[in-house]
């Protein structure tokens, strides 16, 4: 209280108040102050395409599926594809996984993708932007298609040169239809055609045209040739009849052609998605199938659900076993594979996994009449100029820039065999850079990540809820057909699952901060929260009770 | 009890019931009291008045005197005319809340039956209980007769509500409280004319929400306290005005002090309470014997009627103050008051202080006579206090 | 909207009050007044709220407040009630808002009398388990094991917490309830029920004190939820002193989780924590038996 000029006559007869505490600005008390600071949920963080997953899930919860679809399209043009084949690191990182079960983001993306194809794309007005630039894209796999989409959306004229007769790359030729129906691939590609993409099929780089040809004709060239050369086993008799290459095998099946030398007793070697795809495809072709993998189940790079389904379908996986020698009969046909048992050493290889080493004298033979090799792929570097290649891949930065002017590259041909979503992400980054290069468009700003861990959440306000279950064809209905196994769920199911999302790091107006403030320093006006810094004492209750770590406390600097 | 039976009539009532009638006529709204001998009849009769509907008041049956005063504080703060009564240990227990009533500027009326403090237990009359509360800030009236008790009760509400200070009226245990005297019960309409309904200046109002009695720092407390002193000084004038107004309507007045045969007195006795009645009789007798003695009855003890006391006592040569109380280690309290009032006067009498009648020991005319003889003749008051009637 | 609380958009407290950061008692008042509304007169005896409302001439609440002596909350409320009733203002609620000292110790006499008279007041005790306003001295509401300035660590409080809800329930008043600020909707509902009670209503509120409990202020709500989930402070109602209703099934978290967040319990050994756990379990058993019938 300041020195007062109040005299006896100025006072009331007794000690009765005449002022409210509003003149007492208790904000001066605090050492820390709260601030609403949106942070990065792990789903957004771990998604290789950095989709704003939290946002489209929040939109799905409200039933705004079109908005959700457009949100995904900002980072990934093909949610119907990734919603089917992605290995969903978002779900692995999902904080809800540590509470009860992670959100079925994959399932939601699939729904939104299909919703987009069915309801949004047909009525979507495509702005006919055009500018004078034209870009050639070599390869119509996920990376090429993604790059094309983003260039087309900004009016660039795009020509895609594909050496096969159908577009899609691994999406069409590699992934089997029970996982990714051809119809879906077709409809996704249609998005590009609607936007004016030109396709040239049957023309191959190095055979029908060279890189120089393209750089002369186009303003920029994007290499998206993927990694298609399959690794050899490096064992004797590998050339025997009945020893097939995995991708080659899948391509034949996907083109509905007959496979040479395909028997009834198939052994697939490898642990990645290609191996699983080969195994399950072989099963559907009537064979009895086994998989051979040199490490354990935990180390298999294939998507976990795929491995589980393979086992459910009756495929036996033999772990910690490696091939030694193909055994062929007098006609030169495969009749078995000599294997050796492996154990995991303490040494770790470049993938961070323990190196398997053979156990001495543990050799044995597995009888089989077909062996499918699916142990990895590499990039065909022979068709590329020396300046832009390294020992194994094309040299390019994260935006696809290479050492050759006008030439860009992305996807598996730069990273080595990786996943569809990473290829899509690369295509988009390259498109952004190409637009910057050609038209001086601003590069997208570097995203700053402020990751929300499970420990940062206040899970008191959440109740355990069962995760939605995917609708799957029962195993007995899958025999001998390539019908899609997983069906898209209903919008009620999607809304339910979206309701389970914690919305880590992003405010969803749960009101906790407003409800719990003992100093009434958080007001709610027109649905927005306002912190009254004049009165906030910095107790931190709001930050602590925010279930999703949106409010952060900062130290008051000495003023 | 039908109206016609009590109002406007002369009734033989005890002192306690005189209080009850006073409260009934004053239309108190909330009464909270805890029984203690010798006050019980006050609240018993009031209970009956409330139960029969004669008095439209809420009677809160509290569990202690501290709570009784607290309940009155609450009710008065909410804007009601409130009343309580107690005695001795009850008053002592109320002490904290007496402060609250004063500081809260609540016009509560309290009737205290003067009773001695224990241990050992005593129910008989003694002034130490009310005088122990001298400094809390209550206005204090000491009554001599049952009529005065009834009239003072009514006046008390008016003084309290005008000045916003609580008022304590004091009557002697048994000598007044349980002794019947003929008393004029005024007409209700006359009392209504004299004492309109209580219109509080400050009260708990949901349409004007304020905090009463919050933490008051040294920057404010002093001024607010000073206002209580101002109110006491106002009460001095208001008490007189009220007394005159009462006289206009009811034909009775008492004054703040009463001077009896003091005009040419050499010795003036100063008394309070029922000893005054005994003293009057002795004064008359001594006068007839030729002694120039007079009597000053102190009716209003707080605020001190300083001008009146000075005016009357400075004319005498000697003053004998009779206290039915003792402040241990010093002297009788009325005596201290008189001495401090007269100390700075140029002409001041010799002041003898006498303590008598503690614990209800009877004070008879001979005791007064002896005091008069002593004080009339003695050269000088050598003692601070002279104890009379104790078997030394 | 998840919280029913958000439906009560009107606030009856101003900002700028003097409570410590993270004060459970301040928050409890915010909730109570949301339930009771404008037609309320609050009686505050000596306790933290004597200060929180603001020094003269300031006033935090948007309803009238009568500050009174320590032991008189219940009876001053009764006095105000009598005055309002005689004036016909029976729609104005009288709320006595006292701390644990003014309720369980010095104020228990007046409270018991008000309950016996069944005066229509709401008595809310915000319990921070010690005489906090005078500097963290122990009260009869201080739980076993707690440090306070008058029960230092070498001689921590060995007596159990006085069960005021049971004592008041024994008066057979129409409504007795326990509430925790960690459950704001529940607390608001209980005050609304208290308002409807045909007589005295008593609500015992768990109101943490970061200052006195040696606890981080941001844990104000979490600790109030933990206390209930660890069964230290169960949420229940007693109707007419005989009908017990448990309002919330606790998550049965071990009491250790509750104790470890507070510095006032940091000196406890495993054995002493076990004693607390056993007592908590035992009390819960008694309560569930009462609730069954």
């Amino acid at each position: 209280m300041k020195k007062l000029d109040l005299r006896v006559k100025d006072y009331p007869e007794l000690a009765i108040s005449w002022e409210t505490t509003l003149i007492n600005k208790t904000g001066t008390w605090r050492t820390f102050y709260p601030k609403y600071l949106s942070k990065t949920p792990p789903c957004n963080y771990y998604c290789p395409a950095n989709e704003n997953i939290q946002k489209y899930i929040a939109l799905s919860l409200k039933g705004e599926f079109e908005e959700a679809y457009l949100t995904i399209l900002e980072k990934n043009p093909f949610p119907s594809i990734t919603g089917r084949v992605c290995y969903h690191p978002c779900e692995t990182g999902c904080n809800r996984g540590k509470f009860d079960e992670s959100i079925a983001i994959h399932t939601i993306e699939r729904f939104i993708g299909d919703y987009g194809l069915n309801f949004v794309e047909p009525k979507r007005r495509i702005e006919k932007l055009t500018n004078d630039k034209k870009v050639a894209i070599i390869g119509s796999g996920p990376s090429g298609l993604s790059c094309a989409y983003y260039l087309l959306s900004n009016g660039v004229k795009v020509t895609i040169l594909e050496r096969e007769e159908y577009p899609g790359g691994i999406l069409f030729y590699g992934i089997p239809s029970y996982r990714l129906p051809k119809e879906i691939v077709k409809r996704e590609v249609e998005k590009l055609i609607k936007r004016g993409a030109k396709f040239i099929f049957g023309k191959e780089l190095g055979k029908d045209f060279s890189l120089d040809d393209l750089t002369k004709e186009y303003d920029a060239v994007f290499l998206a040739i993927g990694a298609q050369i399959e690794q050899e086993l490096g064992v004797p008799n590998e050339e025997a009849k009945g020893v097939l290459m995995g991708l080659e095998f899948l391509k034949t099946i996907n083109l509905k052609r007959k496979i040479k030398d395909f028997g009834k007793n198939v052994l697939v070697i490898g642990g990645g998605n290609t191996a699983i795809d080969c195994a399950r495809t072989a099963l559907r072709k009537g064979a009895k199938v086994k998989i051979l993998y040199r490490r354990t189940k935990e180390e298999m790079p294939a998507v976990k659900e795929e491995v589980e389904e393979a086992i459910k379908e009756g495929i036996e996986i033999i772990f910690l076993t490696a091939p030694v020698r193909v055994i062929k009969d007098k006609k030169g046909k495969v009749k078995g594979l000599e294997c050796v048992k492996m154990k995991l050493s303490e040494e770790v290889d470049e993938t961070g996994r323990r190196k398997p080493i053979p156990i001495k004298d543990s050799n044995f033979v597995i009888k089989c009449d077909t062996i499918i090799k699916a142990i990895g792929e590499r990039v065909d570097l022979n068709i590329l100029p020396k300046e832009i290649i390294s020992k194994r891949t094309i040299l390019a930065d994260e935006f696809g820039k290479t050492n050759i002017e006008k030439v860009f590259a992305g996807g598996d041909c730069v990273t080595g065999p990786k996943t569809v979503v990473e290829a899509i992400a690369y295509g988009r980054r390259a498109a952004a850079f190409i637009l910057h290069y050609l038209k001086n468009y601003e590069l997208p700003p570097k995203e700053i990540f402020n990751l929300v861990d499970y420990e940062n959440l206040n899970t008191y306000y959440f109740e355990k809820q069962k995760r939605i279950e995917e609708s799957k064809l029962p195993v007995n209905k899958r025999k001998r057909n390539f019908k899609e196994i997983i069906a898209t769920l209903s919008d009620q199911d999607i809304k339910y699952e979206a309701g389970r999302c914690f919305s880590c790091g992003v405010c969803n107006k749960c009101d906790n901060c407003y409800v719990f403030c003992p100093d009434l320093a958080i007001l709610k006006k027109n649905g927005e929260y306002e912190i009254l810094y004049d009165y906030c004492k910095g107790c931190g209750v709001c930050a602590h009770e925010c279930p999703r770590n949106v409010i952060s406390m900062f130290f008051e600097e000495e003023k | 009890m039908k109206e016609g039976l009590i109002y406007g009539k002369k009734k033989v009532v005890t002192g306690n019931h005189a209080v009850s009638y006073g409260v009934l006529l004053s239309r108190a709204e909330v009464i909270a009291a805890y029984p203690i001998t010798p006050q019980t009849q006050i609240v018993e009769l009031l209970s009956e008045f409330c139960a029969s509907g004669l008095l439209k008041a809420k009677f809160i049956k509290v569990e202690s005197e501290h709570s009784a005063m607290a309940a009155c504080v609450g009710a008065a703060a909410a804007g009601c005319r409130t009343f309580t009564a107690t005695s001795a240990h009850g008053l002592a227990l109320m002490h904290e809340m007496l402060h609250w009533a004063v500081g809260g500027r609540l016009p509560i009326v309290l009737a205290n039956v003067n009773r001695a403090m224990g241990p050992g237990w005593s129910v008989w009359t003694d002034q130490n209980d009310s005088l122990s509360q001298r400094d809390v800030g209550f206005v204090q009236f000491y009554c001599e007769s049952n009529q005065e008790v009834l009239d003072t009760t009514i006046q008390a509400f008016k003084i309290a509500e005008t000045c916003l200070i609580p008022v304590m009226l004091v009557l002697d245990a048994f000598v007044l409280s349980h002794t019947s005297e003929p008393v004029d019960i005024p007409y209700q309409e006359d009392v209504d004319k004299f004492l309109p309904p209580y219109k509080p200046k400050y009260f708990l109002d949901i349409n004007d929400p304020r905090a009463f009695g919050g933490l008051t720092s040294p920057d404010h407390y002093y001024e607010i306290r000073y206002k209580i002193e101002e109110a006491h000084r106002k009460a001095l004038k208001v008490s007189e005005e009220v007394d005159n107004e009462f006289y206009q309507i009811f034909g009775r007045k008492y004054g703040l002090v009463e001077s009896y045969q003091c005009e040419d007195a050499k010795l003036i006795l100063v008394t309070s309470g029922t000893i005054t009645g005994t003293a009057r009789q002795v004064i008359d007798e001594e006068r007839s014997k030729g002694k120039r003695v007079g009597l000053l009855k102190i009716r209003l003890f707080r605020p001190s009627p300083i001008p009146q006391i000075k005016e009357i006592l400075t004319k005498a040569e000697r003053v004998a103050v009779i206290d039915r109380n003792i402040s241990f280690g010093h002297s009788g309290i009325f005596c201290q008051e008189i001495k401090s009032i007269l100390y700075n006067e140029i002409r001041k009498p010799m002041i003898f202080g006498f303590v008598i009648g503690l614990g209800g020991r009877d004070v008879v005319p001979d005791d007064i006579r002896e005091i008069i003889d002593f004080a009339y003749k003695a050269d000088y008051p050598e003692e601070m206090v002279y104890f009379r009637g104790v078997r030394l | 909207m998840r919280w029913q609380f958000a439906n009560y958009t009107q606030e009856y407290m101003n900002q700028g009050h003097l409570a410590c950061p993270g004060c459970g008692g301040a928050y409890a008042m915010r909730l109570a007044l949301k339930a009771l509304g404008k037609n309320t007169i609050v009686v505050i005896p000596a306790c933290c709220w004597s200060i929180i409302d603001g020094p003269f001439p300031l006033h935090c609440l948007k309803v009238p407040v009568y500050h009174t002596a320590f032991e008189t909350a219940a009876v001053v409320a009764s006095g105000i009630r009598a005055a309002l009733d005689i004036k016909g203002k029976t729609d104005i609620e009288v709320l006595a808002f006292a701390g644990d000292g003014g309720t369980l110790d010095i104020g228990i006499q007046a409270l018991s009398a008000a309950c016996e008279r069944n005066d229509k007041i709401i008595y809310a005790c915000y319990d921070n388990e010690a005489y906090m306003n005078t500097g963290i001295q122990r009260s009869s509401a201080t739980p076993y094991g707690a440090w306070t300035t008058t029960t230092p660590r070498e001689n921590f409080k060995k007596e159990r917490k006085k069960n005021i809800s049971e004592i008041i329930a024994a008066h057979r008043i129409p409504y007795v309830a326990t509430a925790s600020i960690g459950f704001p909707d529940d607390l608001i509902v209980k005050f609304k029920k208290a308002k409807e009670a045909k007589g005295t209503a008593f609500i015992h509120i768990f109101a943490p004190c970061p200052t006195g409990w040696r606890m981080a202020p941001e844990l104000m709500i979490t600790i109030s939820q933990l206390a209930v989930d660890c069964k230290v402070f169960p949420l229940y109602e007693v109707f007419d002193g005989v009908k017990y209703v448990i309002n919330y099934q606790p998550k049965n978290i071990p009491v250790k989780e509750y104790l470890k967040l507070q510095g006032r319990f940091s000196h406890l050994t495993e054995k002493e924590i076990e004693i607390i756990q056993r007592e908590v379990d035992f009390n819960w058993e008694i309560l569930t038996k009462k609730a069954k019938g």
Side-chain angles (χ1 to χ4, degrees), chain A residues 14 45 73 84-85 120 148 154 227 306 341-342 376 404 413 419 466 496:
Chain A
L14 64 158
Y45 181 79
L73 252 55
R84 285 170 165 78
V85 306
V120 182
N154 284 284
E306 292 297 310
K341 285 241 152 279
M342 307 291 271
I404 299 182
C413 63
T419 59
K466 275 205 79 46
Y496 165 84

Side-chain angles (χ1 to χ4, degrees), chain A residues 174-186:
Chain A
I175 301 174
S177 355
Y178 60 80
R179 276 180 78 199
L180 179 62
K182 307 288 172 252
E183 183 62 32
I184 297 291
V185 181
K186 194 161 131 252

Side-chain angles (χ1 to χ4, degrees), chain B residues 86-379:
Chain B
T86 190
S87 176
H89 285 266
L91 186 66
L93 182 57
M94 263 190 200
H95 177 76
E96 183 194 13
M97 295 317 287
L98 297 177
H99 278 286
W100 212 275
V102 174
R105 302 299 299 276
L106 299 165
I108 301 170
V109 170
L110 169 95
N112 183 66
V113 184
N114 263 154
R115 171 189 134 171
M117 297 294 288
W121 282 123
S122 162
V123 297
W124 297 278
T125 196
D126 186 309
Q127 286 173 329
N128 261 85
D129 61 351
S130 60
L131 290 172
S132 295
Q133 310 306 333
R134 177 185 66 169
D135 299 330
V136 294
F138 262 67
V139 169
Q140 288 195 15
F141 281 98
Y142 285 78
C143 302
E144 183 194 345
S145 69
N146 290 358
Q147 182 71 67
E148 189 179 339
V149 163
L150 192 154
D151 292 343
T152 306
T153 306
I154 301 171
Q155 286 188 11
F157 282 105
K158 185 145 188 176
I159 296 166
E161 287 164 18
T162 311
C163 306
L164 293 181
I165 310 181
V167 174
M168 183 192 302
L169 64 121
V170 180
L171 58 153
D172 289 351
F174 291 102
V175 183
L176 274 192
S177 66
H178 284 64
T179 306
S180 300
E181 292 178 5
V183 167
D184 260 316
I185 316 268
Y187 284 103
Q188 180 69 71
E189 60 209 46
D190 289 335
V191 178
D192 289 340
K193 234 186 294 172
F194 172 77
L195 180 68
Y198 175 41
K199 287 238 170 0
K201 186 172 175 194
Y202 304 97
F203 68 101
L204 293 161
D205 184 1
I206 53 162
N207 296 314
D208 182 14
R210 311 234 186 177
F212 287 65
L215 185 74
T216 307
S217 73
D219 282 338
H220 299 292
Y221 186 83
Y222 200 167
E223 280 70 23
I224 294 174
R225 262 350 226 189
Y226 189 81
K227 288 188 103 71
I228 302 177
E229 175 63 24
E230 282 184 339
H232 262 264
R233 293 183 190 179
K234 179 176 171 185
L236 205 52
K237 291 196 202 65
V238 167
S239 300
E240 231 175 340
E241 286 161 13
V242 161
D243 197 41
N244 290 329
E245 213 186 305
F246 194 88
Y247 177 68
Q248 297 299 321
I249 300 177
F250 300 98
R252 292 184 294 275
K253 72 197 304 251
Y254 301 90
L256 308 183
V257 302
E258 185 193 329
S259 133
Y260 183 70
Q261 307 221 45
C262 287
E263 299 70 38
D264 63 337
K266 175 182 167 187
L267 164 69
I268 299 181
L269 283 184
V270 179
T271 61
S272 58
T274 51
I275 291 181
T276 313
T278 315
R280 280 184 212 275
Q281 194 188 313
V282 175
I283 295 289
D284 285 340
E285 286 170 23
E286 295 298 296
R287 272 279 175 183
S288 69
K289 286 198 214 132
K291 281 219 183 68
R292 283 165 38 224
V293 286
L295 172 69
L296 179 67
K297 166 190 166 186
I298 306 291
R299 176 170 173 260
L300 180 67
F301 176 68
R302 275 288 185 278
S304 287
I306 296 172
Q308 291 87 340
I309 289 171
K310 281 186 187 174
E311 208 214 306
I312 294 165
L313 294 182
T314 47
K315 295 207 182 73
E317 201 187 290
R318 294 152 182 262
V319 166
V321 184
I322 301 180
D323 272 295
R324 203 171 195 156
N325 63 81
I326 177 68
S327 179
F328 293 110
H330 199 282
S331 58
I333 292 166
F334 276 90
C335 183
Q336 292 170 34
E337 295 280 306
I338 299 296
K339 282 181 179 173
S340 82
I341 289 170
L342 297 177
Y343 183 78
N344 283 324
E345 297 304 292
I346 300 168
R347 260 199 70 189
K348 56 185 177 233
M350 276 195 289
I351 302 175
F352 295 82
F354 295 92
V355 169
I356 197 170
L358 296 183
R361 180 156 300 178
D362 219 359
V363 177
V364 295
D366 277 341
D367 295 322
I368 309 286
R369 242 188 298 275
E370 194 274 314
I371 288 173
I372 292 175
D373 278 340
F374 184 89
Y376 207 80
K377 292 203 208 85
D379 292 321

Side-chain angles (χ1 to χ4, degrees), chain A residues 1-4 6-19, chain B residues 103-105 164 202 210-214 216 219-220 223-224 226-227 230:
Chain A
M1 294 280 144
K2 307 184 287 291
K3 191 94 174 111
L4 296 157
L6 293 173
R7 310 187 87 89
V8 169
K9 64 170 170 53
D10 300 320
Y11 283 83
E13 290 299 314
L14 64 158
I16 186 174
S17 66
W18 66 64
E19 185 83 67
Chain B
R105 302 299 299 276
L164 293 181
Y202 304 97
R210 311 234 186 177
F212 287 65
T216 307
D219 282 338
H220 299 292
E223 280 70 23
I224 294 174
Y226 189 81
K227 288 188 103 71
E230 282 184 339

Side-chain angles (χ1 to χ4, degrees), chain C residues 6-275:
Chain C
N7 293 335
Y8 304 93
T9 47
Q10 181 69 329
E11 301 284 354
Y12 295 94
M13 268 170 78
N14 284 306
Q15 292 83 3
H17 63 68
L18 271 68
C20 299
C23 171
Y27 185 59
M29 177 70 86
R30 183 183 176 201
L31 297 175
L33 290 181
K34 264 195 188 290
L36 299 177
K38 180 170 168 295
N39 285 11
T40 311
I41 293 176
V42 184
V43 178
I44 297 178
C47 61
C48 288
W49 257 98
S50 307
I51 309 299
I52 295 173
D53 191 51
F56 169 86
L58 304 186
H59 180 36
C60 166
L61 304 184
K62 295 185 184 177
V63 293
V65 163
Y66 200 79
H67 289 283
T68 184
F70 202 174
E71 63 280 68
T72 61
V75 65
V76 169
S78 293
I80 296 175
R81 173 85 271 150
L84 292 171
D85 286 349
I86 199 85
K87 287 186 183 297
K89 297 183 189 168
T90 48
D91 59 328
I92 299 181
E93 204 54 52
V94 182
L95 171 69
F97 203 80
D100 50 293
T103 305
L104 279 76
D105 294 332
I106 199 172
I108 200 170
Q109 179 183 310
L111 172 58
S112 174
C115 291
E116 186 268 328
R117 291 190 301 264
N118 204 26
D119 288 337
K120 183 147 178 26
I121 60 168
I122 301 176
Y123 193 105
C125 170
Y126 66 98
D127 189 354
N128 51 26
E129 301 191 331
Y131 300 142
M132 292 306 182
N133 191 34
T134 42
I136 324 170
Q137 293 85 25
R138 69 88 102 188
S139 79
S140 62
T142 307
Y144 169 90
W147 162 89
T148 63
T149 55
T150 45
T151 57
R153 278 168 224 283
E154 305 76 37
N155 192 17
F156 62 81
K157 186 172 190 256
K158 304 286 187 334
E159 300 79 14
R160 65 165 58 83
K161 184 187 174 91
K162 191 191 271 190
N163 194 332
I164 189 67
S165 301
E166 290 304 297
I167 295 170
I168 299 306
H171 289 66
R172 301 273 186 101
I173 58 173
Y175 189 69
V176 169
T178 64
S180 163
I181 59 164
F183 296 77
D185 282 345
D186 175 73
L187 196 154
I188 289 178
V189 162
K190 284 171 174 167
F191 269 88
K192 288 215 169 278
K193 283 192 195 173
K195 200 176 156 117
E196 302 306 309
K198 300 215 180 346
T200 316
F202 177 81
I203 302 184
H204 186 198
I205 307 173
F206 183 86
C209 169
T211 314
W213 295 10
R214 302 326 210 193
M215 182 184 86
E218 70 254 25
L219 296 177
M220 176 185 95
I221 294 297
T222 297
I223 204 83
S224 308
Q225 291 160 346
L226 260 181
V228 177
D229 278 317
C230 293
K231 310 196 304 269
V232 167
F233 196 89
L235 297 180
Y236 65 98
E237 295 164 297
V238 189
F239 296 90
D240 302 311
V242 289
K243 177 158 174 250
Y244 282 73
V245 176
I246 296 177
N247 306 117
Y248 173 84
Q249 283 304 320
K251 296 191 180 142
N252 263 319
I253 300 175
V255 86
K256 191 180 185 156
E257 298 302 310
Y258 166 75
L259 299 171
K260 73 181 187 195
L261 294 174
Q262 303 165 62
R264 62 176 178 154
F265 292 119
S266 62
H267 53 275
L268 293 178
T269 62
E270 285 296 324
K271 219 163 133 242
E272 283 147 5
I273 296 177
E274 248 179 72
I275 296 174

